[in-house]
Amino acid sequence: MATPDRPGFALPLLLLAGFRTLIDDLHAELARQGHPELRPLHGFVLQAVGTAGTTASDLGHRLGVSKQAAGKTVDRLVALGYLERTDDPRDARRKLVRTTPRGLDGLRRSAVIFDDLRDRWCATLGADRVAALEDDLRRVTAADVFRLDVPGWFGT
């Protein structure tokens, strides 16, 4: 039950602040490890491209943005060396977007850093409390909670 000292609107703000803290700490460490140009949106894009690659149109759909918006982000990540465009071996009319070795390195480093950040939260809050928080969030969120269309969801 919401109370004056714990109003209902505070919960989503605290969850967002926790998310923001983790993402900001992740990107600070990625910068120290040689990936200073990666931004939060880039992580969603690299995850959406996946290991098999995708088209710009499919990427836009996965992210909940237009093909043009997806293409603009792909252009930026190609220029930074995280993605590449290649011919689709199944259809010469299509181009695939694929993750480069640099992009895979960024994803691998992100996974390790997230583990380290979780360990820091465990050191601060206690491993049992972090595990309980994760369990509780799983109970109150949908099974398909990991959706890549977060950038589109925040858009207009």
Side-chain angles (χ1 to χ4, degrees):
M1 174 182 267
T3 62
D5 61 325
R6 292 184 183 267
F9 68 82
L11 178 60
L13 294 176
L14 288 168
L15 289 169
L16 181 60
F19 173 79
R20 177 70 191 257
T21 298
L22 287 168
I23 297 302
D24 287 349
D25 290 350
L26 166 76
H27 283 277
E29 185 57 30
L30 279 172
R32 283 190 283 279
Q33 293 186 23
H35 294 279
E37 58 283 308
L38 279 179
R39 300 291 174 258
L41 171 63
H42 299 158
F44 288 107
V45 173
L46 292 172
Q47 289 290 331
V49 168
T51 56
T54 189
T55 64
S57 181
D58 287 343
L59 180 62
H61 180 71
R62 289 178 190 173
L63 295 173
V65 299
S66 69
K67 177 183 174 182
Q68 294 78 10
K72 185 176 178 180
T73 304
V74 167
D75 289 343
R76 179 71 181 139
L77 288 170
V78 166
L80 293 170
Y82 290 94
L83 295 177
E84 64 184 358
R85 285 190 173 92
T86 62
D87 292 329
D88 185 336
R90 295 167 301 191
D91 185 345
R93 298 168 294 171
R94 291 181 0 150
K95 288 284 190 187
L96 288 180
V97 177
R98 294 184 189 247
T99 307
T100 65
R102 181 161 175 73
L104 292 172
D105 181 66
L107 286 172
R108 278 192 293 271
R109 288 176 187 271
S110 293
V112 171
I113 295 165
F114 274 130
D115 287 345
D116 292 343
L117 292 170
R118 186 186 184 282
D119 289 346
R120 278 195 240 162
W121 279 40
C122 287
T124 301
L125 302 173
D128 290 345
R129 290 192 65 190
V130 171
L133 174 63
E134 291 167 334
D135 292 344
D136 290 345
L137 288 170
R138 282 186 189 97
R139 283 186 20 218
V140 297
T141 57
D144 66 346
V145 67
F146 186 70
R147 293 178 42 198
L148 293 171
D149 67 347
V150 171
W153 184 70
F154 278 114
T156 55

